[in-house]
Amino acid sequence: MTDRPHLAVIGAGPAGLAAVVAAASRGVRVTLIDSAAEAGGQFYRRPAAGLRARRPQTLHHQWRTWERLRDGLQAHVQAGAVRHLTDHHVWFVERQDVGFTVHALLGPEQEHPVAVRADAVLLATGGYEKVLPFPGWTLPGVVTAGGAQAMLKGTLAVSGRTAVVAGTGPLLLPVATGLAAAGVEVAALVESADPKDFVRRTRALAVQPGKVVEGARYAAQLLRHRVRTLVRHTVVEAHGAQCLEAVTVAALDADGRVRSGTERRIACDTLAVGHGMLPHTDLAETLGCRLDGMDVHVDDEQRTDVPGVWAAGETTGIGGSSLSLAEGHIAGRSIAARLRGIEPDARDWAAAARTRTRLRAFFAALDAVHAPPAHWTDRITDDTVVCRCEEVTGGAIREAVDELGAGDVRTVKLLTRAGMGWCQGRVCGPAVAGLAGCALTPTRRPFAGPVPLGVLAAEPGNG
């Protein structure tokens, strides 16, 4: 068994699981490394066993796919072809003369170091939500759309009795319908996109009729739960003394500015807000992988430009679970062939490649429709906290740009400390870039997460 080529897969979401099953089925020894206690990632998040959920499948629309992936993983683990490491937080992937060493911290305290050596690495690290601040967004009761969904899927709990779901993007639909089905009064679904933009991209959207049907199904559920939908609207401000009590929403004009006089106040104790997602690229950046904008660049086999490193799923571009599954499947088959010294045959994954092409075109059109309103930074007042970690306000950032000449995120960071906190700019980065009037670019960090000094000191060569 130890003579078989060894693959380390980082991330146990749809892309990682698809790759594990594909590679292990073709004679590759696999170590699956994930920070969660169970496989599935954010998309296949499930209630804890102790909650005794009778029908967890009602929170998912791809439950059978999850069951096939789960059963495939379990079969390979039992056969000894796959080792599944849970609660392992990968902070660095080290390139060796031959192969790689994946460095992780074990457990919730993240203090115990673990090293995994492998011949090849697949990065399936997923994505995270893009946060665009506005007055009141730090009030208790304001959560991200994905956070509200994760709470519901993982704990069967909701953060309040009356909710507004707002922002832009396809994630808002399952969040609103999921909350409504759980008994929450969803006072409004506030979407900043203009429905006319969908009509202009009919050809691109028509390549995935199943996705269109899925959207129509969500719309029917919203009608059934009597959820008011406000399109071409945005949240202007969240209100409350100690916690959220209401939000003000307003209509947008054709240029993305708030139309004066259209403001309305909606009472609620929960605001689930989302403006899309960004790829997790930290590990790819530390390895020196090429990026296309914010996405890890890959070829037709899902290979990065670093030999021995593949990437699949949201880290190569946000596109949902179906695209992640296709990319993971392709990567797993490609890795299995190349680790055995065989030239891969693209016909081996032709169906998955066709799916990948269609879904990439579909989500490119969707991204264009669901871009945040052009003038969203106008709603960030000088008193609005933009960087929560360092408590840097919009006014401080504007001062750095207008009076001190900062023209990029790095300079703003040096002048204001925005992005120097625990999240290292992952949350405030889009807002800082927007206020600075520059493009959001990846920030190359030495490590993908905080590491205890004792762990670093114990590394070979640091004594």
Side-chain angles (χ1 to χ4, degrees), residues 41-186:
Q42 295 298 326
F43 186 77
Y44 294 121
R45 180 188 290 267
R46 301 166 312 286
L51 295 176
R52 299 180 181 179
R54 289 179 294 177
R55 294 188 301 153
Q57 65 271 24
T58 59
L59 299 173
H60 298 268
H61 64 277
Q62 290 187 0
W63 188 256
R64 291 183 180 177
T65 301
W66 155 246
E67 289 180 325
R68 288 195 295 270
L69 291 170
R70 177 200 61 195
D71 294 346
L73 174 64
Q74 290 176 349
H76 288 301
V77 169
Q78 292 171 0
V82 173
R83 181 172 56 145
H84 182 196
L85 303 181
T86 59
D87 287 318
H88 280 63
H89 304 260
V90 177
W91 57 273
F92 190 63
V93 179
E94 182 181 5
R95 297 167 68 179
Q96 308 282 5
D97 292 337
V98 178
F100 302 85
T101 299
V102 179
H103 296 274
L105 297 171
L106 174 61
E109 301 300 325
Q110 300 185 38
E111 293 180 348
H112 303 291
V114 175
V116 176
R117 290 171 175 81
D119 301 303
V121 172
L122 170 66
L123 304 176
T125 48
Y128 61 100
E129 284 192 88
K130 179 164 59 178
V131 177
L132 302 181
F134 50 88
W137 75 289
T138 58
L139 280 170
V142 180
V143 297
T144 64
Q149 187 182 56
M151 186 186 305
L152 182 58
K153 284 184 175 182
T155 67
L156 303 179
V158 295
S159 61
R161 292 180 293 182
T162 304
V164 170
V165 178
T168 189
L171 180 60
L172 302 186
L173 291 173
V175 171
T177 55
L179 291 174
V184 176
E185 179 189 350
V186 180

Side-chain angles (χ1 to χ4, degrees), residues 261-274:
T262 64
E263 296 86 355
R264 67 177 79 181
R265 190 178 176 110
I266 302 174
C268 61
D269 53 19
T270 296
L271 171 62
V273 61

Side-chain angles (χ1 to χ4, degrees), residues 59-431:
L59 299 173
H60 298 268
H61 64 277
Q62 290 187 0
W63 188 256
R64 291 183 180 177
T65 301
W66 155 246
E67 289 180 325
R68 288 195 295 270
L69 291 170
R70 177 200 61 195
D71 294 346
L73 174 64
Q74 290 176 349
H76 288 301
V77 169
Q78 292 171 0
V82 173
R83 181 172 56 145
H84 182 196
L85 303 181
T86 59
D87 287 318
H88 280 63
H89 304 260
V90 177
W91 57 273
F92 190 63
V93 179
E94 182 181 5
R95 297 167 68 179
Q96 308 282 5
D97 292 337
V98 178
F100 302 85
T101 299
V102 179
H103 296 274
L105 297 171
L106 174 61
E109 301 300 325
Q110 300 185 38
E111 293 180 348
H112 303 291
V114 175
V116 176
R117 290 171 175 81
D119 301 303
V121 172
L122 170 66
L123 304 176
T125 48
Y128 61 100
E129 284 192 88
K130 179 164 59 178
V131 177
L132 302 181
F134 50 88
W137 75 289
T138 58
L139 280 170
V142 180
V143 297
T144 64
Q149 187 182 56
M151 186 186 305
L152 182 58
K153 284 184 175 182
T155 67
L156 303 179
V158 295
S159 61
R161 292 180 293 182
T162 304
V164 170
V165 178
T168 189
L171 180 60
L172 302 186
L173 291 173
V175 171
T177 55
L179 291 174
V184 176
E185 179 189 350
V186 180
L189 171 61
V190 183
E191 167 63 68
S192 64
D194 189 341
K196 295 177 183 176
D197 290 337
F198 288 97
V199 178
R200 299 188 189 105
R201 293 171 174 82
T202 302
R203 180 177 299 179
L205 298 176
V207 299
Q208 284 297 119
K211 291 291 183 182
V212 177
V213 171
E214 183 181 315
R217 197 175 298 128
Y218 282 128
Q221 292 179 48
L222 292 175
L223 287 173
R224 187 165 65 250
H225 289 289
R226 298 180 180 179
V227 176
R228 176 174 45 173
T229 302
L230 302 174
V231 297
R232 202 62 183 162
H233 278 66
T234 190
V235 171
V236 176
E237 185 175 359
H239 310 279
Q242 300 299 321
C243 59
L244 180 69
E245 298 172 4
V247 298
T248 293
V249 304
L252 296 168
D253 64 18
D255 294 325
R257 291 186 171 88
V258 170
R259 287 169 49 196
S260 180
T262 64
E263 296 86 355
R264 67 177 79 181
R265 190 178 176 110
I266 302 174
C268 61
D269 53 19
T270 296
L271 171 62
V273 61
H275 292 91
M277 295 183 65
L278 295 169
H280 264 304
T281 60
D282 293 347
L283 292 175
E285 292 168 45
T286 61
L287 280 164
C289 298
R290 170 185 161 191
L291 300 183
D292 291 335
M294 299 296 293
D295 307 333
V296 177
H297 172 82
V298 291
D299 65 9
D300 290 343
E301 295 182 35
Q302 299 295 137
R303 294 181 297 177
T304 72
D305 61 339
V306 175
V309 179
W310 279 252
E314 309 280 38
T315 192
T316 68
I318 304 302
S321 62
S322 296
L323 178 56
S324 294
L325 290 168
E327 291 186 353
H329 181 78
I330 293 169
R333 291 195 171 203
S334 167
I335 293 167
R338 292 199 175 274
L339 286 184
R340 290 178 295 154
I342 301 172
E343 185 66 25
D345 186 346
R347 291 175 296 184
D348 194 32
W349 57 75
R354 289 192 295 269
T355 298
R356 178 180 62 185
T357 299
R358 290 194 300 268
L359 284 171
R360 283 179 176 174
F362 175 83
F363 279 100
L366 215 59
D367 285 346
V369 171
H370 288 294
H375 298 277
W376 60 267
T377 56
D378 293 349
R379 295 186 287 283
I380 300 178
T381 66
D382 286 347
D383 294 332
T384 302
V385 172
V386 173
C387 173
R388 299 180 72 164
C389 297
E390 297 294 325
E391 298 184 347
V392 181
T393 64
I397 294 172
R398 288 192 174 103
E399 180 182 2
V401 174
D402 299 336
E403 299 183 21
L404 302 179
D408 58 76
V409 173
R410 181 177 182 275
T411 305
V412 172
K413 178 178 180 178
L414 293 173
L415 292 172
T416 68
R417 296 190 59 83
M420 287 191 181
W422 184 262
C423 82
Q424 286 292 287
R426 292 174 180 85
V427 174
C428 66

Side-chain angles (χ1 to χ4, degrees), residues 17-28 76 328-334 336:
L17 291 175
V20 167
V21 173
S25 299
R26 287 158 180 78
V28 174
H76 288 301
H329 181 78
I330 293 169
R333 291 195 171 203
S334 167

